[in-house]
Amino acid sequence: MELLSNLALGFETALTPTNILWCFVGTLLGTLVGVLPGIGPTATIAMLLPITFNFEPVTALIMLAGIYYGAQYGGSTTAILINLPGESSSAVTAIDGYQMARQGRAGPALATAALGSFFAGTVATFILAVAAPPLARAALNFGAPEYFALIVLGLLVSISLAHGSVLKALAMIVLGLLFGMVGQDIYTGTPRFTFGQPELFSGINFVSMAVGVFGIAEILRNLENERERDVMVKKVTNLWLTREDFRRITMPVLRGTLFGSLLGVLPGGGHILSSFASYSAEKNLSKHPEEFGKGAIEGVAGPESANNAAAQTSFIPLLTLGIPAHPVMALMVGAFIIQGITPGPNVINEQPALFWGIIASMWVGNLLLVLLNLPLIGLWVKLLTIPYRVLFPAIVVFAAIGCYSINMNAFDVFAIAFFGIVGYVLIRLGCEPAPLLLGFVLGPLLEEHLRRAMIISRGDPTIFVTRPISATLLAIAVLVVIFAMAPSIRKKRQAIFVEED
């Protein structure tokens, strides 16, 4: 009964005309950025954060959440039509989806992606509604040492799941932590790393950094090597499935939903991992594995269900613990903070309408996405022909205006340019900006809980290992580092042995 009353509160909040409107705007924008390769939800949310400053908190977060899971839908369109995933999690969809399009079955492929995504998103949102409250209640037992250990674990897990060098990912975390220390000391008010600039006394503007590192840097990278896009299908027809198609996709959709729901909570790339795991499972379970890679509809149904389920359940650690599972969730943490809300287990008690409104809006958003994606396929196909050199200057201008409007300070615009160059250089050096953003967002929280724990223990650092929950989390963090380093250590040892021989 408590769950039903909470969901009733959530739908009452989500179904107000204003929230429905901005949920629609968010899902529409999300689909758009998913369709247009090279932009992505991270850059889009970063650049749209400024306009949410004057919104009601629940309205702002509903729109930003809609952009994220809308992009998971939209990414499948380019994956199927031009073999160019709009989202990294849609890369697996391109394998069989594009082959289906080449065989004249783009319509069924797109319908499979939309319907599988809708089902998976609906189920995963229900899981979020059921699992979030008990996790939030458990998190209320956390003190400063436990939160410090949890944040350390979150940062180290993000390092272990980085695509490139573990050392580079660690360096990005440390750089993010250093950027997070800029400003006045949280206890003494002493300026740190401000170089005499009054604008830095309150710290680096989160929006400027996010827009620069993700938005501007990504635009520079795409302009450097613009890819030719050849749309496979000029007009998509037959947007419905046969009875045989329904029979073939039923179990892949169910299994993909399970994979996404479980793996979505993992920090790093749970939505990407779940889509790959789903595709691998479907290929191994299929009676005709030779069809995979040649247009198997199961190869579209499973991964699309998995990445959309993961998009919903990735909100679980954010809403219950205040810990972002990946860069988009780190931006959502920033949105909470901009709205004056501390993300974490207290939100469910202090802001129940916001907490349950976000969850209920996901059901609304998933329904809107089905209504948007299939009828507007023709529009998405036309958008794929827009050159980047025309599209991106407009994006940069609106991002700069939006960022300036928050504090009416030109310094924030210069900060966008600075972090854009920093982000571009990091990309060129093979470093991932995502750990940097996680370090920047979690750095002040890490410092605050560390210092609070040391004050409680009167300077005794053993408080972190004498408390069971904290000690367990730190032990897991150590295992994560060992697990992350093991492959590189093994390779080095093998190289040494080869040299000795």
Side-chain angles (χ1 to χ4, degrees):
M1 289 300 294
E2 184 183 358
L3 177 62
L4 293 177
S5 62
N6 287 331
L7 289 176
L9 173 63
F11 278 107
E12 183 182 344
T13 304
L15 293 177
T16 62
T18 301
N19 289 339
I20 290 178
L21 171 63
W22 288 107
C23 183
F24 173 80
V25 170
T27 52
L28 179 64
L29 286 172
T31 304
L32 176 62
V33 301
V35 166
L36 294 173
I39 302 177
T42 308
T44 305
I45 291 174
M47 290 186 283
L48 289 179
L49 275 178
I51 72 168
T52 66
F53 184 69
N54 294 318
F55 285 15
E56 287 294 319
V58 66
T59 304
L61 293 164
I62 282 174
M63 188 192 79
L64 295 177
I67 292 173
Y68 173 54
Y69 54 80
Q72 307 303 314
Y73 271 68
S76 63
T77 302
T78 47
I80 291 168
L81 296 181
I82 60 174
N83 199 26
L84 185 60
E87 261 296 287
S88 54
S89 56
S90 299
V92 186
T93 306
I95 299 173
D96 284 282
Y98 182 63
Q99 293 303 319
M100 288 182 70
R102 294 187 65 183
Q103 296 164 17
R105 302 197 69 216
L110 291 166
T112 298
L115 295 176
S117 298
F118 173 73
F119 176 81
T122 302
V123 172
T125 305
F126 178 76
I127 293 172
L128 169 59
V130 172
L135 281 174
R137 283 194 291 270
L140 289 173
N141 296 322
F142 280 30
E146 287 79 13
Y147 267 112
F148 171 79
L150 182 65
I151 295 170
V152 169
L153 175 61
L155 291 173
L156 292 179
V157 169
S158 71
I159 291 173
S160 70
L161 293 176
H163 300 297
S165 163
V166 173
L167 188 60
K168 288 181 179 178
L170 179 61
M172 290 300 95
I173 288 285
V174 173
L175 183 60
L177 293 173
L178 289 174
F179 280 133
M181 292 179 67
V182 173
Q184 292 176 300
D185 184 277
I186 56 175
Y187 286 106
T188 66
T190 305
R192 303 181 302 189
F193 307 114
T194 58
F195 303 102
Q197 293 291 330
E199 293 86 353
L200 292 176
F201 278 29
S202 59
I204 294 173
N205 187 309
F206 172 79
V207 176
S208 297
M209 182 179 190
V211 171
V213 170
F214 285 97
I216 306 302
E218 190 67 17
I219 286 172
L220 293 173
R221 187 183 68 82
N222 280 287
L223 289 175
E224 181 187 56
N225 185 28
E226 182 176 348
R227 297 177 63 174
E228 292 295 327
R229 292 171 285 174
D230 179 25
V231 180
M232 187 68 204
V233 183
K234 299 298 181 184
K235 186 176 181 181
V236 179
T237 57
N238 191 25
L239 280 169
W240 198 242
L241 302 174
T242 65
R243 182 175 296 180
E244 175 64 14
D245 289 335
F246 273 114
R247 185 190 67 77
R248 292 182 62 177
I249 71 171
T250 300
M251 291 310 297
V253 167
L254 292 173
R255 285 190 289 263
T257 302
L258 177 63
F259 276 116
S261 299
L262 294 175
L263 298 177
V265 298
L266 292 178
H271 57 305
I272 302 172
L273 180 62
S274 63
S275 60
F276 276 92
S278 174
Y279 187 84
S280 176
E282 295 310 319
K283 188 173 182 179
N284 289 327
L285 292 171
S286 175
K287 295 179 181 178
H288 303 285
E290 69 279 359
E291 293 181 6
F292 281 75
K294 299 177 182 178
I297 196 169
E298 297 91 341
V300 176
E304 276 302 299
S305 302
N307 70 45
N308 281 277
Q312 315 293 326
T313 56
S314 63
F315 280 85
I316 290 177
L318 171 71
L319 293 175
T320 58
L321 302 172
I323 301 296
H326 48 74
V328 172
M329 293 299 111
L331 291 170
M332 295 293 287
V333 169
F336 271 97
I337 294 170
I338 287 173
Q339 295 291 340
I341 300 169
T342 302
N346 288 317
V347 172
I348 191 172
N349 295 320
E350 297 174 0
Q351 304 267 355
L354 180 143
F355 182 92
W356 291 103
I358 292 173
I359 292 176
S361 74
M362 293 180 185
W363 269 304
V364 178
N366 274 287
L367 180 59
L368 290 173
L369 282 166
V370 172
L371 300 177
L372 274 174
N373 270 264
L374 297 181
L376 296 181
I377 287 296
L379 174 62
W380 305 140
V381 171
K382 289 180 181 178
L383 284 172
L384 290 171
T385 62
I386 299 176
Y388 281 158
R389 62 182 179 275
V390 174
L391 185 67
F392 283 163
I395 295 173
V396 173
V397 170
F398 283 117
I401 293 172
C403 198
Y404 175 79
S405 67
I406 295 179
N407 299 316
M408 297 297 179
N409 192 335
F411 186 85
D412 294 339
V413 179
F414 289 116
I416 292 177
F418 172 77
F419 283 110
I421 294 171
V422 169
Y424 177 70
V425 170
L426 292 175
I427 291 171
R428 295 288 294 168
L429 292 174
C431 298
E432 294 182 66
L436 184 147
L437 184 67
L438 290 174
F440 178 73
V441 170
L442 295 178
L445 294 174
L446 183 75
E447 180 188 6
E448 180 182 350
H449 291 299
L450 170 64
R451 294 177 69 171
R452 187 178 297 169
M454 295 300 286
I455 290 170
I456 292 170
S457 67
R458 299 187 178 183
D460 183 5
T462 60
I463 188 174
F464 298 108
V465 293
T466 54
R467 295 175 65 138
I469 297 176
S470 174
T472 302
L473 292 171
L474 289 175
I476 295 172
V478 172
L479 292 176
V480 165
V481 173
I482 294 172
F483 176 77
M485 296 296 294
S488 57
I489 293 172
R490 190 161 54 246
K491 287 178 182 177
K492 287 181 180 179
R493 289 183 62 192
Q494 289 173 350
I496 292 171
F497 289 142
V498 168
E499 290 175 5
E500 288 179 354
D501 292 342

